[in-house]
Amino acid sequence: MRIGLLASTGGMLDSFFIEIAQSWRSYGNTVSFAAGSAMVSDEATLIPGLSRRPDPGTIRALAGLRQWAEGEDLDVIVTNSATASALVRLAGTKVPIVYFCHGLHWNELNSISDRVWPILERMLLPRTAGIISLNADDQAWFAERIESSRRLHLSAGVGLDLARYPVRDLPDGPLSLCWIGEFSPRKRPHLALEAAAELQRRGIDFHLEMLGEGVFRAQIRDEISARGLSGIVSADGPGDAAAVLADSHALVHTAQWEGLPRVMLESLAIGRGSYAFDVKGVRDIPLAQLSVDGDVEELATRIAADWESGRLRRPLTFDRDLLDYSHAADGIRQFLPTFIRTVSTTSASRREPHVE
């Protein structure tokens, strides 16, 4: 197969698809990347006008997407990220498009934007050959609208290169927590700070490291000082997520909704549990300790109880091999031929045997 992998930014392809693409290539398939910005790990066709968020210049991307599909003689396109996935389905390519849905962009349909997104997605479904879902809520939404033969569900998402997330012994000393993500409205870092304040009020000796960048980080740093949490909570910017997880007893996750939170899978791979809210995507993570959405007091209560009982000092029992990226790579590779209408003699001649 000649597979096109598309995302809004090159960074998304670097983060999620390098190992998967390598696996597909090992079976003799050709993989062509495309995005609105350059990749670090591979070469990608740059699509002018394509970015993470749509703007007046986005319309330029339609022609670029058609040219990419035709120029690479693609058999199938696998697309992820909202903007890129919408545009390629509107571009009118002759190539079947499989939507790798990292997360439908709505939660409980309470806000205006939550009501708009389902309308847009329903309009795009006739232009969608197949669907790959990652969480149970999205899986159920697609199941009502697309037959099962055109759907693939990946319970561990794109998976992980487990060699990068070895199991580590739990740290000694006081309770160590981490929060890892974008300091953005959907990730709600302020709730992590509120949980820290509640743990402090309860007299728990702990440290919370908040790792990442975003529009709220400066505000969070100011709030740390204002709440008297200096020395207890830190928010020093980006860093090595695997190392921070290894130095922690647990991950705190406060997103409003997710596709399938990769950082929670990384935490699980290393042998650390997670404390989070019962929202879409997050509730699919094995062994996660969930609280009512937004109930910071319940979240802090769960953490404090598990620390005082010794639960957070005991290793997790989980089959981490279920998180290996090979499951996603093999599943998608076997799923894609369903949508290739015709395989030309030329395309067939390009295929090579699997290389071990």
Side-chain angles (χ1 to χ4, degrees), residues 213-253:
E213 276 290 5
V215 294
F216 285 157
R217 191 169 76 85
Q219 187 179 107
I220 288 292
R221 287 174 62 87
D222 291 342
E223 194 171 342
I224 289 170
S225 178
R227 285 178 175 267
L229 293 170
S230 298
I232 298 174
V233 180
S234 59
D236 298 327
D240 186 337
V244 170
L245 285 165
D247 289 338
S248 303
H249 291 94
L251 171 74
V252 178
H253 195 76

Side-chain angles (χ1 to χ4, degrees), residues 101-135:
C101 180
H102 276 256
L104 291 170
H105 279 227
W106 63 84
N107 188 22
E108 300 295 339
L109 301 179
N110 294 323
S111 68
I112 293 175
S113 63
D114 273 2
R115 297 189 189 101
V116 170
W117 278 109
I119 295 172
L120 295 175
E121 193 55 53
R122 281 196 296 269
M123 291 171 59
L124 292 168
L125 284 180
R127 300 168 180 262
T128 310
I131 291 291
I132 301 171
S133 60
L134 305 187
N135 66 60

